[in-house]
Amino acid sequence: MTQIVRRVVVALLFLLVLNPNLLAADSSENNEPVIDVMGKVVDHDYFEIFNQKIYLPRIFLVEGGLHFYRNTQSAIESGEFQMVDGTMIRADGAPVSIDFSITSHLLFVWFGMILTLLITFWASFKYKKGTGGDTEPKGSGQNLFEVFFVFIRDDIAKEYIADNKHTKFVSYLFSVFMAISFMNLFGLLPWGASATADLTVTATLAAITFFITQFNGSKDHWEHVFMFPGVHPLMRIILTPVEILGLFTKPFALAVRLFANMLSGKIMIVCILGLIFIFTEIFGPMVGVGSSILWVALTAALYILKAFIGLLQAYIFTLLSAVFIGMAVEEHHHQDHESSVAMTKDVQI
Amino acid sequence: MIFIASGGGILSFNTGFAFWVIVSMVLFLYVMGKYALPPIVKALDQRESRIKESLESAEIALAKAEQISKDNKKALKEAEIQAQKIRKEALEDAEMLRTEKIEKAKQDAEKILVNARNTIEQEKKKALVELRNEVADLAIKSATLILNSELDQIKNKKLVDNFIKDLSTHI
């Protein structure tokens, strides 16, 4: 009991050291919202660490010409570009065709990939030396790695991609799972961001799954999209557009699911922590500090949930990719057709 | 207003960014699929096939061992039966030998007894003959002694002859 009391007192002391009024007053001066929720989740032209902003290179493609700058500041200072309403345009008013700038989210995408590569090469080196191949895997690291790898291979790839075609896709599924997991979990770091909370990233990942699915589609897959064996020809008028639409809704669902889950988690955390500042603004610093116990506890709970969701969403993305690939590569056996046709006839009678 | 913060809303699709993601993703997937993962896949497959093989060979070895132990048991049983047979035979032989020996001993004893009896009989006869001679001598000696004093030679002879005749008839 005394331990709990002591802990609460210590926590209160820590909270008193913080001065939310200062931060709140700072932002309320210049007509900005108390806390910029969207600013926390959108892409930036700088990489923030320990409250230090490292501005990243900007690369613009304007009317077929590429322009390189060390950062946004130098682009504006050079006089060739200007910032209008938060977007960069060329000094003569020509809009930027494609913005190839290195952004914070891109950095986190790279971090996720690099971390995956490092871990995989480390494990690969161990396996090449014989540990795990000739003997049992040694050490928690290799065991953990193997748990994930074997899980992806056996419970996702082998399970959903039929006819022993899964071997080709294991490396894609594993790479994507690991990279997305790390991208998701980077959002939990103090100055980190979830790259997957960016529609561009998830859409690109989903597009890669889409292309892999379509390029590996079997004859049966395309036949089912356009021809519908065993269905009345007139039905094709309705079913073919639906199926073609279905080709694109699958990756769309993949992209939006991952994006929305990661974004909502981030927004929730920022909003709930932001309540401290909003309460301070409205009811005064005492209420803000007092209620912060609740908000911090809630945030901690959300953090645990988000860590879980980070892995879960990576798993779901991988699983659905495997399901879509499995549906496309599957070769239907003729017996199934006949039986299914027979079934529909039975039902019609 | 908030939605367009830092150059685009949260739902915007940035083509340049997507280009970077695709390029790095393709590179990443290529390196992963070409260099990082194959050794792991190979090692795991090898291990799995080896485990499978060793399990199968263990099963075969177990079946073999079972067969061997079955054979052993059978051989043991056979050997036991054989041993019992041998023992029985040996017992029978021994019994036969024993009876034979006893029989022989009995016969031997009988023979010895007969021999002894014969010998005794002979000895007895010999002793009788000796005794007779002795008695005759003694008689003669005593008679001589008596006759020397009383009779002449002719009478003596007659007397002795009668005596001997008597003796020989009497005995």
Side-chain angles (χ1 to χ4, degrees):
Chain A
M1 196 60 207
T2 49
Q3 206 180 9
I4 295 167
V5 171
R6 204 190 313 143
R7 277 180 188 167
V8 170
V9 170
V10 169
L12 278 172
L13 275 173
F14 269 116
L15 289 168
L16 284 171
V17 172
L18 296 169
N19 193 349
N21 209 18
L22 237 169
L23 284 165
D26 193 29
S27 52
S28 60
E29 290 276 315
N30 41 18
N31 215 8
E32 265 183 28
V34 181
I35 183 146
D36 183 13
V37 177
M38 288 304 147
K40 294 278 178 203
V41 294
V42 292
D43 217 351
H44 293 293
D45 58 351
Y46 55 83
F47 177 66
E48 197 176 358
I49 185 153
F50 298 118
N51 270 340
Q52 296 293 306
K53 285 178 182 175
I54 302 161
Y55 284 90
L56 300 167
R58 306 291 311 247
I59 305 158
F60 302 113
L61 181 75
V62 186
E63 290 169 352
L66 274 172
H67 302 265
F68 294 90
Y69 297 101
R70 216 157 55 80
N71 52 40
T72 314
Q73 197 64 31
S74 68
I76 293 167
E77 275 170 5
S78 71
E80 290 179 57
F81 284 89
Q82 55 183 346
M83 180 105 68
V84 179
D85 270 347
T87 40
M88 298 290 284
I89 55 165
R90 207 158 72 174
D92 57 7
V96 174
S97 320
I98 300 175
D99 185 358
F100 284 116
S101 307
I102 312 296
T103 61
S104 57
H105 280 176
L106 181 59
L107 279 186
F108 281 107
V109 170
W110 284 345
F111 289 160
M113 288 173 181
I114 288 165
L115 200 54
T116 310
L117 281 174
L118 285 177
I119 288 170
T120 314
F121 269 113
W122 169 78
S124 186
F125 181 69
K126 275 200 129 181
Y127 279 106
K128 234 187 264 177
K129 266 199 326 194
T131 321
D134 301 328
T135 62
E136 75 281 6
K138 287 195 179 83
S140 53
Q142 202 185 3
N143 271 302
L144 196 66
F145 180 87
E146 201 175 298
V147 165
F148 278 108
F149 186 79
V150 171
F151 174 71
I152 300 284
R153 192 191 59 177
D154 291 350
D155 290 344
I156 295 182
K158 211 180 265 179
E159 184 83 15
Y160 294 102
I161 303 172
D163 307 333
N164 268 333
K165 284 178 177 168
H166 67 276
T167 45
K168 223 166 74 180
F169 305 104
V170 170
S171 82
Y172 170 68
L173 295 173
F174 180 72
S175 309
V176 157
F177 174 78
M178 293 296 271
I180 291 177
S181 297
F182 285 130
M183 284 181 215
N184 290 348
L185 295 176
F186 278 138
L188 299 175
L189 297 176
W191 289 280
S194 295
T196 39
D198 192 313
L199 191 58
T200 311
V201 178
T202 60
T204 313
L205 288 171
I208 291 169
T209 293
F210 172 76
F211 283 118
I212 286 177
T213 309
Q214 304 318 326
F215 285 148
N216 290 290
S218 63
K219 218 181 88 191
D220 285 321
H221 167 66
W222 293 111
E223 200 176 83
H224 272 258
V225 171
F226 296 111
M227 296 299 287
F228 295 100
V231 174
H232 192 275
L234 279 176
M235 286 294 280
R236 288 180 194 155
I237 296 167
I238 305 167
L239 284 176
T240 306
V242 169
E243 277 293 317
I244 291 168
L245 208 63
L247 290 181
F248 297 100
T249 51
K250 281 171 196 163
F252 181 76
L254 266 187
V256 172
R257 181 181 293 109
L258 182 58
F259 160 69
N261 272 291
M262 295 327 292
L263 183 73
S264 62
K266 187 88 188 178
I267 290 176
M268 281 285 276
I269 283 172
V270 176
C271 283
I272 289 172
L273 275 183
L275 280 174
I276 298 169
F277 306 106
I278 290 164
F279 272 39
T280 312
E281 177 94 348
I282 298 168
F283 303 111
M286 282 317 286
V287 179
V289 169
S291 65
S292 64
I293 294 170
L294 182 65
W295 309 134
V296 169
L298 208 58
T299 310
L302 269 176
Y303 251 82
I304 294 162
L305 191 67
K306 229 191 135 203
F308 169 66
I309 285 175
L311 284 175
L312 182 76
Q313 288 303 323
Y315 164 66
I316 289 174
F317 189 96
T318 316
L319 177 81
L320 288 178
S321 294
V323 169
F324 296 155
I325 292 169
M327 276 159 73
V329 299
E330 194 183 10
E331 272 155 24
H332 298 273
H333 304 292
H334 242 341
Q335 289 169 338
D336 293 344
H337 282 314
E338 278 158 12
S339 64
S340 67
V341 171
M343 278 282 282
T344 46
K345 272 179 187 165
D346 281 344
V347 169
Q348 278 168 353
I349 290 161
Chain B
M1 215 20 216
I2 291 164
F3 272 82
I4 347 167
S6 51
I10 50 166
L11 287 174
S12 69
F13 183 83
N14 188 339
T15 322
F17 184 19
F19 165 79
W20 281 118
V21 175
I22 282 186
V23 167
S24 31
M25 203 62 198
V26 166
L27 205 69
F28 166 68
L29 290 175
Y30 177 78
V31 173
M32 283 290 275
K34 189 92 180 169
Y35 302 108
L37 286 171
I40 298 169
V41 174
K42 214 176 107 193
L44 285 177
D45 282 348
Q46 263 175 7
R47 200 175 75 196
E48 263 157 36
S49 62
R50 206 175 38 247
I51 288 169
K52 210 174 146 193
E53 270 166 26
S54 27
L55 277 177
E56 274 165 8
S57 64
E59 219 154 89
I60 289 166
L62 198 72
K64 222 182 243 171
E66 249 165 39
Q67 187 63 39
I68 286 167
S69 90
K70 220 182 259 171
D71 288 354
N72 278 352
K73 241 179 226 170
K74 215 168 132 192
L76 199 70
K77 218 177 232 173
E78 270 170 20
E80 231 163 60
I81 290 166
Q82 195 80 16
Q84 232 152 15
K85 214 165 122 192
I86 288 167
R87 211 174 113 233
K88 215 169 151 191
E89 274 174 10
L91 272 175
E92 274 167 10
D93 283 0
E95 189 66 25
M96 227 156 75
L97 216 68
R98 206 167 65 112
T99 41
E100 241 169 50
K101 270 224 169 122
I102 289 168
E103 205 72 18
K104 210 180 162 197
K106 264 183 191 164
Q107 278 173 6
D108 281 0
E110 201 110 328
K111 222 187 223 167
I112 288 165
L113 212 67
V114 169
N115 276 355
R117 256 188 214 129
N118 286 350
T119 316
I120 290 166
E121 200 69 25
Q122 273 170 7
E123 288 296 315
K124 200 172 134 194
K125 270 181 191 164
K126 229 161 108 184
L128 268 175
V129 171
E130 260 173 36
L131 191 70
R132 200 180 287 166
N133 290 346
E134 196 82 8
V135 167
D137 280 354
L138 274 174
I140 287 166
K141 264 179 196 165
S142 58
T144 313
L145 280 173
I146 298 163
L147 287 178
N148 276 351
S149 55
E150 293 177 14
L151 299 170
D152 58 37
Q153 203 132 11
I154 301 141
K155 266 187 184 172
N156 274 1
K157 195 150 165 56
K158 221 175 166 180
L159 206 71
V160 170
D161 280 346
N162 283 346
F163 179 73
I164 288 169
K165 215 180 263 172
D166 277 5
L167 206 68
S168 58
T169 48
H170 273 99
I171 294 170

